[in-house]
Amino acid sequence: MPKPFPWMSEELAALESAGLRRGRREIQPLAGGACEIDGRRLWNFTSNDYLGLAGDPRVVAAAQTALAESGVGARASALVAGRTEWHARLEQALARFEGQESAILFPTGYAANVGTIAALVDENDVAFCDRLNHASLIDGCRLSGAKLRVFRHSELETLERELHKAADSRRRLIVTDAVFSMDGDIAPLRELCDLAARFEADVLVDEAHGTGVFGEHGRGVCEQLGVEDRVAVRVGTLSKAIGTLGGFVAGPQSLIDWLWNKARPQVFSTALPPAICAAATAAIEIVRTEPERRTKLWQNCEFVAGTLRVPSVFSSDTQVVAGQSSSDGTRSVPATIGPIIPILLGDPEAAVVAQRKLEEHGCLVAAIRPPTVPLGTSRLRISLSAAHDESALKQLVAALQEVLSVP
Ligand SMILES: *Cc1c(COP(=O)(O)O)cnc(C)c1O
């Protein structure tokens, strides 16, 4: 029998020689922000479990209760017969948490972005995307059929020009990450809302890394920057600080009703497992009632940022939102304080080598390569959690100083 897709092995070899072939390993999560990998215990600085809720006993217990009562799978899409009381409770909890009328669930954050954007704009419209937006936002814009205008990261003048040119289109949608997932900086949401108001556009914000982390009550960067009532659509995920799985949109009843009718990844996918909904509801309650977790996370961010001194921490495409950059072009970490800390290395092989060496020093850190980041901006990406204690953080800083040979 002929081998199918004979071109694949060649293309995979090309990826390999460019240092871009993706491998996979097994990882066993452990308590306290640690993990076991290849039989070794490491501190885990790759996780999006910012508040340490993925393994919280109360979250696990909530899932177990629902598992015992409702089984594993949802058996049908939410509109047909898959929406159980666990789903309804989670929708209510999300609406209440976000201070909105209603909420709708999606199988993942990816599906939430793709489905929501494609339900809002089409060929008659223009979507404006920051170049560093998450793939799911870009894919949603592409799928929608709207004209796509990509502007350089946080370059508001370019966006303004493009908005001006699109004045005759039916609708204009500005699409942005709240926290840019590979750079850790936050979007200039106030300025984006100002531009949207001037050009009669709407703003859609993806709070994937914002929910539970930013804002006094953990509602994200929109809360932190005071633009919650100026942003037309806020999309979130339950898979990061909430520690579970699933995407959501919380908003006015009319928007949520529209998405129930028009968001295809929601309409044509099986509903989330009831146990996941129960777990997410418990996790949201913890986010709401235990702000000290957020405080601990931010203390950890400040500790690492204040201790670490490595050059070129941020990619050149990254806007500095706080702090100073030095005149020689190198930036020390305090430029952007947050749980995502990128260390720019440029070359994909260099990122992989640095990752391996850090593992030898007991720390699991992500090597991020194209196409996840633009060519020439391969990097280490550190992500911090409230679950890390001081010994984890000290080991991380020592390992980085050793491996990246900085003073
Ligand atoms: C992780 C992520 C998503 C996707 O969320 P999932 O729930 O994992 O599918 C969407 N947007 C951004 C910015 C993300 O970082």
Side-chain angles (χ1 to χ4, degrees):
M1 227 173 61
K3 229 168 109 190
F5 309 117
W7 49 269
M8 270 183 197
S9 36
E10 244 171 69
E11 301 261 324
L12 283 169
L15 283 176
E16 179 86 47
S17 56
L20 295 177
R21 182 164 173 163
R22 307 299 183 101
R24 48 198 175 274
R25 296 192 290 182
E26 281 166 37
I27 180 165
Q28 175 61 34
L30 301 173
C35 65
E36 191 181 301
I37 192 160
D38 298 333
R40 247 183 330 165
R41 187 195 150 87
L42 302 172
W43 293 117
N44 185 1
F45 296 104
T46 65
S47 159
N48 302 313
D49 184 19
Y50 296 115
L51 302 177
L53 292 179
D56 186 281
R58 292 163 292 177
V59 176
V60 174
Q64 282 166 336
T65 302
L67 266 179
E69 280 184 29
S70 303
V72 182
R75 303 168 177 92
S77 69
L79 282 171
V80 173
R83 182 172 174 267
T84 65
E85 61 174 309
W86 308 105
H87 297 79
R89 256 183 240 160
L90 175 56
E91 289 164 14
Q92 277 164 20
L94 282 167
R96 210 174 322 125
F97 176 72
E98 297 282 352
Q100 298 286 339
E101 274 175 8
S102 188
I104 181 172
L105 301 172
F106 288 81
T108 63
Y110 187 108
N113 279 330
V114 168
T116 302
I117 294 171
L120 295 175
V121 286
D122 67 21
E123 300 74 31
N124 302 302
D125 310 317
V126 185
F128 304 86
C129 250
D130 189 292
R131 187 165 86 101
L132 297 187
N133 273 353
H134 190 261
S136 55
L137 294 172
I138 306 267
D139 292 356
C141 291
R142 286 191 183 135
L143 184 72
S144 73
K147 287 174 207 79
L148 177 58
R149 300 283 176 263
V150 177
F151 56 95
R152 278 196 55 173
H153 182 48
S154 294
E155 263 192 30
L156 297 167
E157 305 77 40
T158 321
L159 172 61
E160 181 176 349
R161 242 187 346 263
E162 292 294 338
L163 279 163
H164 193 71
K165 282 195 243 165
D168 292 336
S169 62
R170 186 184 61 173
R171 294 178 197 141
R172 290 153 295 283
L173 184 67
I174 301 171
V175 173
T176 187
D177 278 358
V179 182
F180 289 90
S181 53
M182 296 301 137
D183 290 71
D185 60 325
I186 62 179
L189 293 182
R190 287 192 200 124
E191 291 78 4
L192 291 178
C193 289
D194 290 345
L195 280 175
R198 267 180 57 205
F199 291 95
E200 292 179 34
D202 291 306
V203 180
L204 179 148
V205 176
D206 174 4
E207 287 273 18
H209 296 275
T211 306
V213 174
F214 287 84
E216 191 189 339
H217 302 92
R219 294 198 300 268
V221 180
C222 290
E223 183 194 1
Q224 177 128 345
L225 297 182
V227 295
E228 284 178 287
D229 47 10
R230 302 181 70 199
V231 164
V233 190
R234 275 186 284 156
V235 187
T237 178
L238 302 167
S239 65
K240 287 171 180 155
I242 309 300
T244 57
L245 178 75
F248 68 92
V249 174
Q253 193 64 52
S254 55
L255 169 65
I256 303 307
D257 287 347
W258 178 253
L259 295 177
W260 271 107
N261 282 276
K262 294 289 178 184
R264 291 165 63 88
Q266 198 275 345
V267 175
F268 295 103
S269 279
T270 297
L272 284 169
I276 288 293
C277 297
T281 307
I284 287 163
E285 189 56 17
I286 297 173
V287 171
R288 215 175 56 76
T289 54
E290 297 182 5
E292 59 272 21
R293 287 174 178 267
R294 208 155 35 253
T295 308
K296 174 79 185 328
L297 172 63
W298 282 94
Q299 281 166 354
N300 285 353
C301 298
E302 274 161 33
F303 178 87
V304 172
T307 321
L308 196 60
R309 291 281 180 278
V310 287
S312 303
V313 164
F314 293 95
S315 78
S316 53
D317 213 18
T318 297
Q319 187 205 30
V320 179
V321 292
Q324 345 73 326
S325 61
S326 56
S327 54
D328 62 0
T330 64
R331 288 176 189 157
S332 53
V333 166
T336 301
I337 294 180
I340 300 171
I341 303 175
I343 299 177
L344 197 71
L345 296 173
D347 175 50
E349 315 255 22
V352 173
V353 168
Q355 178 192 42
R356 204 179 52 234
K357 287 189 187 159
L358 285 166
E359 272 178 40
E360 286 160 16
H361 288 78
C363 295
L364 183 66
V365 165
I368 307 285
R369 298 171 281 169
T372 308
V373 290
L375 270 179
T377 70
S378 288
R379 67 195 65 186
L380 294 173
R381 177 182 183 274
I382 296 159
S383 96
L384 302 174
S385 168
H388 294 129
D389 63 16
E390 197 178 312
S391 66
L393 303 180
K394 284 187 168 156
Q395 192 167 337
L396 170 70
V397 170
L400 285 168
Q401 282 166 343
E402 177 84 18
V403 167
L404 302 174
S405 31
V406 288

